[in-house]
């Protein structure tokens, strides 16, 4: 599926402003400002100035909260987003409900306790973010994430992402039966997205600490519905070239 | 773009109108050289051979024989699914060994008894694709073999697959034989058909690679491991999965992919 850019000039804008650079700027700015996030149940709240607010918006981390406060802006980060900033980008520290900064291990344990699939969910989030895709929640589409090639203002998301696991850590129960495949593919199709399953194998490393993550392996797979009524003329020949004559 | 746009941009997508693809399902007799159900003047004739579980064609009428039936030593033979399909559209009369007309009922019975290497859902898939003009043949059974009589058991699904694959193996290549047996233990999915697009210049003498190989999945969707095994097995030839339930035939492509690293 080709990326669907929104309007003229969007693709050029995206090319001129690579996501990796925006994220890198966000990272520096957060480090410099020594920003602290406040852990509140399953969210992390951060209070930022205008410059950081702009970077968070442009890199698609968190959602802004509109408050009457004038010179500062509050943002609400999801679990995966917060942990990515803390653990992968090392640019944010999170203060727990007890008022103390949480170490990565403590934060990991805490987030796991809130969401048992967090380890594999995070692996998928970070896997895609590392490739500079924008990753947002996919809950409204019945999937785990949606992945965009750049900012959602510039491009429609191409992929609806479902996190699956195999091996010992098989927590996710999706797509075990055909009816779920039908359901998910149909829903994705009706919003013009391809279903992307990202399968995580923990390779028996368990999930005791975030350092386990680097031993997890990840495979991507697309699932598409094929309509024989439509494809009769359109398909090109077999991948390996022309038929024998 | 002002900061407002960045901030307020939501992830809401417009829900696209769901295509009417499912309405087409009922009108599936529309294309290709096979016209709608009608009383045909030119009806072909075949004789059912129980030993082969196939019908030997004795009188050919019409152009469909270019893409129907397998050829052995100059004779054309139809599988049970081809036979049933042709009878259902009124293009074929089938006789038994005593030249007595076999009814549709008797042929449905032959499908159901399991000895023809086919079962109801496979027939539904076959009919669905054929009616749309696709050329469909059983995986592992060559379309045409010269100078060789037809073998008993050609139509047994497992038998033909195994014999074709074993023929391709070098006897000394132990590892590949082991791999062959490992691959055969893939449960729940078995390759059913080779499918060619309609309008292709199909010739039984040199069909070329199929457009895709079709697997019928009965219970659960294939696992990643199974798909990777199939990708290794089929190489450049695509494969698809078909799920049949309640008379509905649905096709899916599951493929390994890798999203690019973006700038």
């Amino acid at each position: 599926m080709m990326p669907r850019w929104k309007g003229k000039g969007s693709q050029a804008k995206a090319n001129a402003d690579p996501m990796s650079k925006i994220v890198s700027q966000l990272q520096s700015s957060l480090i410099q400002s020594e920003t602290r996030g406040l852990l509140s149940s399953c969210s992390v709240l951060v209070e930022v100035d205008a410059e950081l607010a702009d970077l968070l918006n442009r890199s698609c981390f968190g959602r802004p909260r509109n408050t009457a406060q004038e010179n500062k802006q509050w943002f609400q980060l999801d679990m995966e987003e917060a942990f990515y900033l803390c653990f992968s980008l090392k640019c944010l520290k999170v203060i727990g409900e007890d008022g103390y900064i949480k170490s990565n291990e403590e934060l990991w344990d805490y987030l796991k306790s809130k969401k048992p699939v967090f380890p594999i969910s995070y692996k998928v989030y970070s896997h895609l973010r590392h490739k500079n895709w924008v990753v947002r929640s996919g809950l409204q589409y019945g999937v785990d994430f949606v992945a965009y090639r750049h900012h959602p203002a510039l491009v429609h998301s191409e992929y609806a992402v479902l996190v699956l696991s195999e091996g010992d850590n098989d927590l996710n129960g999706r797509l075990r039966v055909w009816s779920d495949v039908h359901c998910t593919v149909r829903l994705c199709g009706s919003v013009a997205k391809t279903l992307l399953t990202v399968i995580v194998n923990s390779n028996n490393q368990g999930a005791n600490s975030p350092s386990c993550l680097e031993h997890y392996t990840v495979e991507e797979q697309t699932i598409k519905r094929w309509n024989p009524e439509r494809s009769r003329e359109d398909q090109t020949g077999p991948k390996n070239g022309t038929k024998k004559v | 773009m002002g900061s407002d746009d960045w901030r307020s941009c939501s992830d809401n997508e417009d829900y696209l109108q769901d295509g009417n693809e499912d309405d087409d399902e009922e009108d599936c007799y529309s294309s290709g050289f096979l016209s709608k159900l009608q009383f045909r003047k030119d009806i072909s004739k075949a004789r059912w051979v129980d030993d082969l579980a196939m019908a030997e064609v004795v009188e050919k009428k019409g152009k469909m024989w270019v893409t129907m039936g397998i050829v052995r030593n100059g004779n054309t033979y139809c599988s049970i699914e081809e036979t049933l399909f042709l009878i259902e559209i009124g293009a074929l009369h089938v006789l038994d060994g005593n030249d007595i007309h076999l009814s549709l009922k008797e042929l449905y019975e032959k499908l159901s008894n399991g000895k023809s290497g086919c079962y109801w859902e496979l027939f539904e898939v076959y009919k669905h694709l054929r009616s749309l003009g696709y050329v469909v043949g059983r995986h592992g059974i060559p379309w045409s073999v010269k100078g060789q009589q037809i073998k008993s058991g050609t139509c047994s699904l497992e038998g033909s697959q195994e014999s074709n694959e074993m023929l391709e193996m070098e006897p000394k290549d132990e590892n590949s034989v082991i791999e062959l047996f490992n691959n055969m233990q893939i449960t729940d999915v078995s390759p059913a058909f080779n499918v060619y697009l309609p309008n292709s210049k199909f010739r039984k003498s040199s069909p070329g690679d199929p457009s895709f190989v079709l697997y019928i999945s009965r219970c659960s969707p294939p696992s990643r491991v199974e798909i990777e095994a199939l990708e290794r097995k089929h190489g450049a030839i695509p494969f698809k999965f078909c799920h049949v339930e309640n008379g509905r035939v649905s096709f899916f492509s599951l493929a390994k992919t890798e999203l690019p690293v973006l700038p």
Side-chain angles (χ1 to χ4, degrees), chain A residues 53-166:
Chain A
D54 182 60
L55 285 167
L56 283 169
N57 278 320
R58 285 168 55 215
S59 59
C60 304
F61 279 91
R63 285 166 200 280
R65 295 189 63 77
N66 288 326
T67 67
Q69 197 176 358
E70 282 180 5
N71 52 350
K72 291 280 203 170
Q73 170 101 64
W74 282 93
F75 275 73
Q76 174 184 347
L77 298 167
D78 291 336
M79 287 186 186
E80 288 84 6
E81 292 173 324
F83 199 71
Y84 190 74
L85 294 173
C86 290
F87 178 69
S88 288
L89 297 186
K90 304 188 198 318
C91 56
L92 182 72
K93 294 207 194 299
V94 171
I95 296 178
E97 281 144 359
D98 56 5
Y100 293 99
I101 289 178
K102 282 205 171 313
S103 69
N104 285 333
E105 278 70 23
E106 287 169 334
L107 190 54
W108 173 262
D109 286 337
Y110 176 87
L111 293 172
K112 257 196 324 173
S113 73
K114 294 290 186 184
K115 183 172 165 181
V117 298
F118 180 74
I120 56 167
S121 174
Y122 179 73
K123 181 68 186 176
V124 174
Y125 180 88
S126 60
H127 170 78
L128 294 173
R129 271 286 189 185
H130 269 127
K131 298 208 267 192
N132 301 312
W133 286 75
V134 169
V135 186
R136 302 290 260 173
S137 166
L139 187 62
Q140 68 268 47
Y141 306 115
V143 292
D144 296 304
F145 300 114
V146 284
Y148 297 81
R149 228 166 246 264
H150 204 279
H151 195 282
L154 299 178
V155 66
H156 291 284
S157 73
E158 287 154 68
Y159 296 103
V161 184
L162 207 51
V163 172
L164 299 180
S165 60
E166 60 182 23

Side-chain angles (χ1 to χ4, degrees), chain B residues 38-237:
Chain B
Q38 63 185 29
F39 225 137
R40 291 173 165 268
K41 285 183 204 155
D42 44 351
I43 303 179
S44 303
K45 285 196 180 59
R47 184 174 295 111
W48 185 262
V49 182
D50 267 326
D51 286 347
L52 301 174
M54 298 188 91
E56 181 174 348
V57 184
V58 295
E59 207 176 302
K60 285 183 188 173
K61 297 270 171 71
K63 288 178 278 181
M64 63 218 167
W65 297 106
V66 175
T67 56
M68 286 271 215
I70 60 172
V71 180
R72 296 290 184 273
N73 211 24
N75 296 324
T76 303
Y77 300 87
C78 290
S79 62
I80 184 68
E81 63 269 18
E82 291 175 313
T83 306
L84 274 172
F85 175 72
L86 290 171
I87 294 177
E88 281 189 344
I89 63 167
L92 183 69
H93 272 156
V94 180
L95 312 169
D96 68 6
N98 297 321
D99 273 358
I100 296 174
H101 176 75
L102 280 173
S103 67
L104 186 57
K105 174 170 181 269
E106 286 169 294
L107 283 148
Y108 281 142
E109 284 166 357
K110 290 194 190 298
L111 174 67
S112 308
N113 72 14
K115 293 178 197 161
S116 318
C118 190
Y119 53 93
W120 183 256
E121 284 79 10
L122 270 188
F123 170 58
E124 285 194 287
V125 173
Y126 177 84
K127 179 173 142 178
H128 187 99
L129 288 173
R130 264 293 167 180
S131 305
L132 293 170
Y134 291 89
V135 177
V136 184
R138 285 210 195 163
H139 182 82
I141 298 182
W143 282 94
S144 171
V145 180
K146 287 192 183 138
Q148 208 181 87
Q149 296 285 18
I150 190 159
K151 297 186 187 121
S152 163
T154 295
C155 259
S156 151
L157 218 48
E158 287 80 15
S160 65
Q161 195 183 322
E162 273 169 57
S163 62
N164 270 286
E165 282 178 327
M166 289 308 278
L167 284 172
E168 288 162 22
M169 289 288 138
E170 290 294 317
K172 48 196 170 191
D173 198 347
E174 274 180 24
N175 284 335
S176 59
V177 173
I178 292 167
E179 199 190 283
L180 173 68
F181 281 113
N182 285 340
N183 285 343
M184 279 180 168
Q185 273 149 34
I186 294 169
T187 55
D188 193 48
V189 289
S190 45
F193 296 119
N194 285 352
V195 183
Y196 300 77
L197 290 180
N199 302 320
S200 51
K201 297 184 176 62
F202 183 83
R203 289 285 174 271
K204 290 182 196 174
S205 51
S206 63
D209 287 327
S211 303
F212 62 90
V213 176
L214 187 63
Y215 282 77
I216 314 294
S217 173
R218 289 194 250 186
C219 302
S220 42
S223 69
R224 177 191 70 85
V225 174
E226 286 172 328
I227 291 169
E228 292 203 345
L230 295 179
E231 280 174 344
R232 282 196 300 273
K233 175 179 170 182
H234 293 294
I237 300 174

Side-chain angles (χ1 to χ4, degrees), chain A residues 4 6 13-15 17-21 54 57-58 63-64 66 73 75 128 130-134 136-137 140-141 146-157 159 166 175-179 181-182 185-187 189-193 196 199 201 219-240 243-245, chain B residues 1 3 5-22 24-26 28 30-32 128-129 131-134 188 195-202 206-212 217-225 227-228 235-238 240-243 245 248-263:
Chain A
R4 294 186 302 133
K6 290 182 180 176
K13 257 189 213 159
N15 290 341
D17 202 8
M19 191 50 66
S20 58
K21 200 167 131 210
D54 182 60
N57 278 320
R58 285 168 55 215
R63 285 166 200 280
N66 288 326
Q73 170 101 64
F75 275 73
L128 294 173
H130 269 127
K131 298 208 267 192
N132 301 312
W133 286 75
V134 169
R136 302 290 260 173
S137 166
Q140 68 268 47
Y141 306 115
V146 284
Y148 297 81
R149 228 166 246 264
H150 204 279
H151 195 282
L154 299 178
V155 66
H156 291 284
S157 73
Y159 296 103
E166 60 182 23
L175 304 188
R176 297 289 173 87
V177 290
W178 276 110
S179 55
V181 176
H182 277 265
V185 171
R186 186 168 185 142
L187 183 53
S190 68
V191 290
K193 296 182 204 313
L196 180 78
I199 302 141
N201 195 325
E219 295 283 353
E220 299 167 18
Q221 191 183 91
T222 52
I223 303 184
K224 296 181 196 177
R225 177 119 184 235
W226 179 69
N227 188 341
E229 280 95 347
R230 291 212 196 117
S231 312
R232 282 169 282 184
E233 314 287 339
D234 298 338
Q235 281 181 13
T236 54
K239 283 186 213 167
N240 59 351
K243 292 198 275 277
K244 288 181 275 191
V245 181
Chain B
M1 195 177 290
S3 59
D5 294 315
W6 293 114
R7 194 187 335 165
S8 63
C9 176
S10 69
D11 296 326
N12 288 336
E13 307 270 346
D14 291 338
Y15 275 76
L16 300 180
Q17 194 65 33
D18 210 335
N20 288 328
E21 55 187 29
D22 297 308
D24 295 339
E25 217 177 83
E26 306 302 329
C28 51
S30 43
S31 85
H128 187 99
L129 288 173
S131 305
L132 293 170
Y134 291 89
D188 193 48
V195 183
Y196 300 77
L197 290 180
N199 302 320
S200 51
K201 297 184 176 62
F202 183 83
S206 63
D209 287 327
S211 303
F212 62 90
S217 173
R218 289 194 250 186
C219 302
S220 42
S223 69
R224 177 191 70 85
V225 174
I227 291 169
E228 292 203 345
I237 300 174
K240 294 191 197 294
F241 290 89
C242 179
H243 176 237
E245 206 170 309
R248 276 188 111 78
V249 180
S250 314
F251 301 88
F252 293 92
S253 295
L254 283 78
K256 186 170 161 170
T257 189
E258 206 169 316
L259 259 57
V261 176
L262 299 173

